[in-house]
Amino acid sequence: MRTIRRAAPSQSTCISRSHLIVVLAAFALAACSSLQDRPALPVEKALPVSAESTELDRLLHDAESRRAGQSAFRLLKEGPEAFAVRVQSARMAGRSLDVQTYIWHADLTGGIIAQELLAAADRGVKVRLLVDDMDARAKNSGFAALSAHPNIDVRLFNPFASRSGFLGFVSEGLSSFKRINRRMHNKTWIADNRIAVAGGRNIGDEYFGASDEVNFIDLDFAMLGPVVRDASASFDKYWNSASAYPMEFLDKQAVSDAELQKLRSRLAETLKDAGNSRYAKTLREDNAIKRMAAGDWPIEWAHTYRFVSDDPGKVTMTKRDAKQMHVAAILLPELQATQSQASIISPYFVPGDVGTDGLVSVAKSGKQVRILTNSLVANDVAAVHGGYSGYRPRLLEGGVQLWELKPQPGEEIDSSLFGSSGASLHTKAFAVDHRMLFVGSYNLDPRSTWLNCEQGVLVENEVLARQLEDIFTSQTTGDHAWHVTLQNDRLHWTDGNENFDSDPKAGVGRRFQAWFARVLGLEGQL
């Protein structure tokens, strides 16, 4: 029998009690800062296009009119070009700018874009910013300051009631985990309802190739035509949802003219040397939008396309409801219907039993299934790699071809267990049968399928599909990725020069993190 001894209060006992008091205080604070229902607001819709009211109208109206019923698409592979399209469209906008994002960093490119939105609002453009609050809460003062501008409205999606402090963040996360765990992962940029950008990029240096440490390999679509109005309809759906809270409702005191002036001063000081950056040079020397309108910027027109987005009510689901997971419901059947080849790029890839069986079924029927994802050493989210790694043998045995991206030279990958930035691969896309492709925010994992709101664009166009296949091929060469195979029933990695029998270049710490996540059974959260 175990003897229980009652010790006198000691320092360790007092520390334990203090920890308990902190935990109880956290729950009490959470109860005091529970999120109130959003007030009833009038429905707002994107401003309609006109024949020649704005510069973008005049520039793009004729191009659309000549191709009635079609929309135009360009793959934005390079970060500077993706940045330039956003900033140039902001400068040319005369009516509206609608921006939806998961992350907005307060860095060089994030600051430039904020300054451009302020400049547009100053000349009368109506600006709507819809940002997921998982990232925005830490930048509450900046978004509140923007919202003080009479032509800028800021709404935060699925917000925290507490607007600052780590204790409030943790306590609300504990007491409202089921709600806080569901996020809006969409990324859309729409200028004058004439040109839109949608895909994998958030707003920040690493998404545009401007970071001195880690830069993402990412992909967007630049779009013209009726698909832009489809993107606007999706934006409106989220903007008017009960989960999109006006900044004034969350922190009215922070929305002030004085804070707006402070923000202007901070941006001016931070960006005073930005004119010498290669991004400013790109904007001066290469007006991609005017080149596109003139026909000397490669762009593909398509009759068949679909802008797909989840129902924003997905974040309020109390149980799994397939009716609200629109993106997965549309995309997965397209992959299963592959006739010859499917090329899939997914940085966070956790197929699960059902997904693995589906991909194996396609491969065993004689079709080629190729997948590119992050290697353990390149993936900052070690938990995701832990969820993915167990499916590798089944995929390979079933005939699925698998590559894992190397970290790019000079990158320093964050080794956090649950971090969500810093991985070298961020593209979420696939091409099917050399004729159809998808580009968006959706990863092939349980989080994208069941927890986060996602979106993207599905297009039938052989030229674009082959461009994406070329991107896949270039990123799976030995310089960029390890080819994963089975040799004597064991996993094997090679880049043509080096060979490995376990996750290449990964240290003990990263291996432990991936193993620990797998042991914890966190797959449903990944």
Side-chain angles (χ1 to χ4, degrees), residues 41 128 171 197 199 232 240 293 300 393 402 429 447 456 508:
L41 297 169
R128 296 188 294 176
S171 62
V197 179
S232 289
N240 293 301
E300 289 294 319
L402 189 59
R447 173 158 290 278
V508 174

Side-chain angles (χ1 to χ4, degrees), residues 336 351-364 391 394-395:
Q336 292 170 346
D353 290 326
V354 174
T356 298
D357 290 343
L359 293 168
V360 167
S361 177
V362 174
K364 285 189 172 181
Y391 294 101
R394 286 171 55 188
L395 290 166

Side-chain angles (χ1 to χ4, degrees), residues 4-32:
I4 301 176
R5 295 186 296 172
R6 188 179 302 274
S10 64
Q11 184 180 9
S12 61
T13 306
C14 294
I15 291 174
S16 298
R17 287 178 178 175
S18 67
H19 284 178
L20 177 60
I21 292 171
V22 169
V23 171
L24 292 175
F27 277 105
L29 181 60
C32 294

Side-chain angles (χ1 to χ4, degrees), residues 166-225:
F166 180 71
L167 183 61
F169 178 87
V170 172
S171 62
E172 197 169 349
L174 289 171
S175 64
S176 305
F177 177 76
K178 287 186 178 180
R179 179 180 68 83
I180 295 299
N181 189 39
R182 299 174 181 273
R183 308 312 318 170
M184 181 195 73
H185 198 225
N186 309 28
K187 297 103 175 172
T188 312
W189 177 283
I190 310 167
D192 280 353
N193 218 350
R194 281 292 188 184
I195 181 169
V197 179
R201 285 185 175 91
N202 293 293
I203 296 175
D205 286 355
E206 63 266 38
Y207 301 99
F208 300 120
S211 173
D212 293 330
E213 297 178 357
V214 177
N215 285 300
F216 286 111
I217 297 170
D218 219 327
L219 196 64
D220 289 324
F221 261 140
M223 305 178 290
L224 309 176

Side-chain angles (χ1 to χ4, degrees), residues 18-312:
S18 67
H19 284 178
L20 177 60
I21 292 171
V22 169
V23 171
L24 292 175
F27 277 105
L29 181 60
C32 294
S33 61
S34 61
L35 186 67
Q36 303 296 313
D37 289 341
R38 195 198 75 167
L41 297 169
V43 173
E44 295 183 13
K45 293 187 177 181
L47 298 176
V49 298
S50 172
E52 49 184 42
S53 293
T54 72
E55 184 178 2
L56 286 173
D57 286 330
R58 294 188 290 272
L59 195 63
L60 302 176
H61 175 74
D62 288 345
E64 284 193 37
S65 299
R66 290 193 299 269
R67 298 172 176 83
Q70 297 183 62
S71 289
F73 303 86
R74 175 177 171 83
L75 288 173
L76 301 179
K77 177 184 174 184
E78 303 300 331
E81 181 182 35
F83 173 77
V85 171
R86 287 168 169 85
V87 173
Q88 288 170 8
S89 62
R91 292 178 177 179
M92 297 169 72
R95 182 172 45 248
S96 62
L97 284 166
D98 291 335
V99 181
Q100 183 178 13
T101 189
Y102 177 60
I103 289 173
W104 191 319
H105 288 322
D107 51 19
L108 172 65
T109 56
I112 291 174
I113 289 175
Q115 196 171 60
E116 293 295 339
L117 295 184
L118 276 170
D122 287 344
R123 63 176 187 267
V125 175
K126 175 66 175 175
V127 179
R128 296 188 294 176
L129 303 183
L130 179 58
V131 187
D132 186 87
D133 200 39
M134 183 58 72
D135 175 72
R137 181 182 180 275
K139 306 172 184 72
N140 184 77
S141 62
F143 287 114
L146 286 172
S147 194
H149 195 293
N151 288 325
I152 300 179
D153 287 335
V154 178
R155 293 187 182 180
L156 302 182
F157 194 85
N158 196 17
F160 288 78
S162 62
R163 301 312 305 158
S164 64
F166 180 71
L167 183 61
F169 178 87
V170 172
S171 62
E172 197 169 349
L174 289 171
S175 64
S176 305
F177 177 76
K178 287 186 178 180
R179 179 180 68 83
I180 295 299
N181 189 39
R182 299 174 181 273
R183 308 312 318 170
M184 181 195 73
H185 198 225
N186 309 28
K187 297 103 175 172
T188 312
W189 177 283
I190 310 167
D192 280 353
N193 218 350
R194 281 292 188 184
I195 181 169
V197 179
R201 285 185 175 91
N202 293 293
I203 296 175
D205 286 355
E206 63 266 38
Y207 301 99
F208 300 120
S211 173
D212 293 330
E213 297 178 357
V214 177
N215 285 300
F216 286 111
I217 297 170
D218 219 327
L219 196 64
D220 289 324
F221 261 140
M223 305 178 290
L224 309 176
V227 69
V228 177
R229 268 68 83 189
D230 296 339
S232 289
S234 174
F235 181 96
D236 289 345
K237 183 170 58 177
Y238 279 84
W239 183 259
N240 293 301
S241 76
S243 295
Y245 282 65
M247 192 71 240
E248 291 80 358
F249 179 81
L250 295 169
D251 194 353
K252 186 176 181 178
Q253 290 184 337
V255 181
S256 69
D257 291 338
E259 291 302 318
L260 176 58
Q261 293 308 313
K262 289 179 183 178
L263 176 63
R264 289 184 187 273
S265 298
R266 287 199 304 271
L267 288 173
E269 178 65 24
T270 301
L271 302 177
K272 63 182 179 181
D273 296 325
N276 299 321
S277 71
R278 65 184 176 118
Y279 287 83
K281 184 178 180 181
T282 297
L283 293 172
R284 288 193 297 267
E285 296 180 356
D286 185 10
N287 193 323
I289 296 175
K290 289 184 177 179
R291 289 177 54 211
M292 174 178 56
D296 65 350
W297 195 57
I299 194 163
E300 289 294 319
W301 292 83
H303 286 280
T304 305
Y305 54 85
R306 187 170 184 180
F307 191 97
V308 295
S309 62
D310 286 327
D311 189 317

